[in-house]
Amino acid sequence: MRLLSDDEISYRRNEVKSIQLNVSSSELINSQYSQTGSNVTYNVDGVLFTNEEMSDLKSVIKNALDFILTKGSDLDYIDYASMGIAKNTVSTYSSEHLSKEQASIVGRSFDNYINSMLDVQQKRLSGDEYSSIEEENERYYKTARKLEINPANALISQVKGIPNMSEEGRKVLLKNINTAVNQGGKTSSASDMELALKIKDEFSKIDLKDDESISKLISNYEGIVTSAYQEWGLKDYDFTQTLSRRLLQDRELLLGQMMNAKAVINRTERKNVNIFL
């Protein structure tokens, strides 16, 4: 076996270091390329990231997304606040650790992901699997009935084929099945979109390092959603502090998410940023 000269070794090392992956900005939201070697650079729609920058960024984004619901979930006002904090986490990290070009493409990619969540919810609620929106709660929430047609039709066919069953009993059973289909399952979502988006926007812009401003924002949030929760039917009784308990849960969740965000953003060395409080 021939030994390589110093020049050949240097050439091959430089050749390895020149590996570059061309990826779409949408790939910033997943971990598909997170296990590649340190010799790789990433061209994200024309913007370059080192492997270290990409690895750290993906950890931050994953951490932020762990606090928000998956696409297709029914969103309450607390979920819009969490989306705002997630966006804030990513944008603050990007502005402090990445170039302007890198931060810009990261921000657009994350915004596209959040917007797709909102689009999926609207499409799902307006799809054929749901009946018309009910007006039981007029301002803050809308309720839709989910139609489980296919399982019901299969059960109806089975009932019709049961031998040695009285016609009266068959009629009663079929009636109960049809009633269950008509009633369906209910799904409820925050419906005051102006309010929901305002909440998301305010949490996305708050200074995560300013504890006083954070406390004021959460207090303002509690005042806003109290009316929504009351409309939904949450109240405080003599022995059951249902509304107060829900507001306390919201406060603890939001504070925990923002404390986590600060821990991620303020880290002083490169490491795996999966911090859960």
Side-chain angles (χ1 to χ4, degrees), residues 71 78 81 85 193 197:
K71 290 183 182 181
I78 182 69
I85 299 172
M193 291 308 300
L197 295 177

Side-chain angles (χ1 to χ4, degrees), residues 76-77 137-142 189-191 228-229 231-232:
D76 204 344
Y77 295 101
N137 304 290
E138 295 182 354
R139 178 181 177 186
Y140 295 105
Y141 291 97
K142 289 291 186 291
S189 301
S191 59
Y229 289 159
E231 180 185 271
W232 185 243

Side-chain angles (χ1 to χ4, degrees), residues 145-210:
R145 293 187 181 277
K146 186 173 183 179
L147 306 179
E148 304 289 352
I149 299 298
N150 292 334
N153 286 340
L155 184 57
I156 289 173
S157 297
Q158 293 177 17
V159 170
K160 290 182 177 179
I162 296 177
N164 304 321
M165 185 177 188
S166 68
E167 286 305 310
E168 184 64 25
R170 197 185 309 274
K171 289 180 180 179
V172 171
L173 187 53
L174 289 173
K175 180 179 179 181
N176 290 339
I177 294 174
N178 286 322
T179 298
V181 171
N182 291 331
Q183 290 181 345
K186 288 187 176 182
T187 178
S188 299
S189 301
S191 59
D192 187 336
M193 291 308 300
E194 181 179 355
L195 175 61
L197 295 177
K198 178 182 178 182
I199 290 173
K200 181 173 76 71
D201 185 60
E202 289 183 348
F203 277 93
S204 71
K205 294 179 178 179
I206 188 70
D207 184 351
L208 294 171
K209 300 176 183 179
D210 187 339

Side-chain angles (χ1 to χ4, degrees), residues 22-38:
N22 296 318
V23 300
S24 167
S25 60
S26 62
E27 298 298 345
L28 295 172
I29 307 301
N30 65 40
S31 58
Q32 182 174 350
Y33 298 101
S34 62
Q35 301 301 318
T36 54
S38 59

Side-chain angles (χ1 to χ4, degrees), residues 10 12 45-46 69 111 125 128 162 178 194 209 223 229 231 239 247-248 252 270 274:
S10 177
R12 294 194 178 187
D45 294 348
L69 298 178
D111 282 344
L125 288 177
D128 294 337
I162 296 177
N178 286 322
E194 181 179 355
K209 300 176 183 179
Y229 289 159
E231 180 185 271
F239 302 103
L247 293 174
L248 179 60
E252 291 177 343
R270 184 171 180 269
N274 284 322

Side-chain angles (χ1 to χ4, degrees), residues 40-267:
V40 176
T41 58
Y42 303 84
N43 185 328
V44 184
D45 294 348
V47 179
L48 295 181
F49 290 78
T50 67
N51 182 74
E52 183 175 349
E53 288 170 336
M54 181 64 75
S55 179
D56 283 352
L57 174 63
K58 284 180 178 293
S59 294
V60 172
I61 290 178
K62 180 183 182 302
N63 186 273
L65 292 179
D66 281 341
F67 283 89
I68 63 179
L69 298 178
T70 57
K71 290 183 182 181
S73 301
D74 295 306
L75 302 177
D76 204 344
Y77 295 101
I78 182 69
D79 300 310
Y80 287 90
S82 288
M83 283 190 285
I85 299 172
K87 176 180 177 179
N88 197 336
T89 303
V90 174
S91 62
T92 302
Y93 171 83
S94 298
S95 66
E96 295 185 1
H97 295 273
L98 300 175
S99 69
K100 290 183 179 180
E101 292 77 12
Q102 290 171 326
S104 177
I105 200 167
V106 170
R108 290 198 304 271
S109 180
F110 200 81
D111 282 344
N112 288 339
Y113 179 82
I114 295 297
N115 291 335
S116 71
M117 286 186 62
L118 306 182
D119 291 341
V120 168
Q121 182 196 26
Q122 294 303 315
K123 291 177 181 177
R124 188 167 65 87
L125 288 177
S126 62
D128 294 337
E129 63 180 303
Y130 287 88
S131 65
S132 59
I133 299 294
E134 297 179 353
E135 299 295 337
E136 294 178 355
N137 304 290
E138 295 182 354
R139 178 181 177 186
Y140 295 105
Y141 291 97
K142 289 291 186 291
T143 302
R145 293 187 181 277
K146 186 173 183 179
L147 306 179
E148 304 289 352
I149 299 298
N150 292 334
N153 286 340
L155 184 57
I156 289 173
S157 297
Q158 293 177 17
V159 170
K160 290 182 177 179
I162 296 177
N164 304 321
M165 185 177 188
S166 68
E167 286 305 310
E168 184 64 25
R170 197 185 309 274
K171 289 180 180 179
V172 171
L173 187 53
L174 289 173
K175 180 179 179 181
N176 290 339
I177 294 174
N178 286 322
T179 298
V181 171
N182 291 331
Q183 290 181 345
K186 288 187 176 182
T187 178
S188 299
S189 301
S191 59
D192 187 336
M193 291 308 300
E194 181 179 355
L195 175 61
L197 295 177
K198 178 182 178 182
I199 290 173
K200 181 173 76 71
D201 185 60
E202 289 183 348
F203 277 93
S204 71
K205 294 179 178 179
I206 188 70
D207 184 351
L208 294 171
K209 300 176 183 179
D210 187 339
D211 293 338
E212 183 177 351
S213 294
I214 287 175
S215 180
K216 289 181 179 179
L217 178 58
I218 292 181
S219 294
N220 291 338
Y221 165 84
E222 290 174 332
I224 291 172
V225 297
T226 293
S227 298
Y229 289 159
Q230 288 173 334
E231 180 185 271
W232 185 243
L234 298 183
K235 298 179 181 179
D236 282 341
Y237 301 96
D238 291 339
F239 302 103
T240 307
Q241 302 298 308
T242 306
L243 176 59
S244 296
R245 186 168 63 249
R246 176 60 183 272
L247 293 174
L248 179 60
Q249 290 172 347
D250 283 3
R251 170 176 283 269
E252 291 177 343
L253 188 151
L254 295 175
L255 282 174
Q257 187 177 352
M258 284 189 277
M259 288 175 63
N260 179 83
K262 287 191 288 186
V264 170
I265 295 166
N266 292 336
R267 79 193 195 288

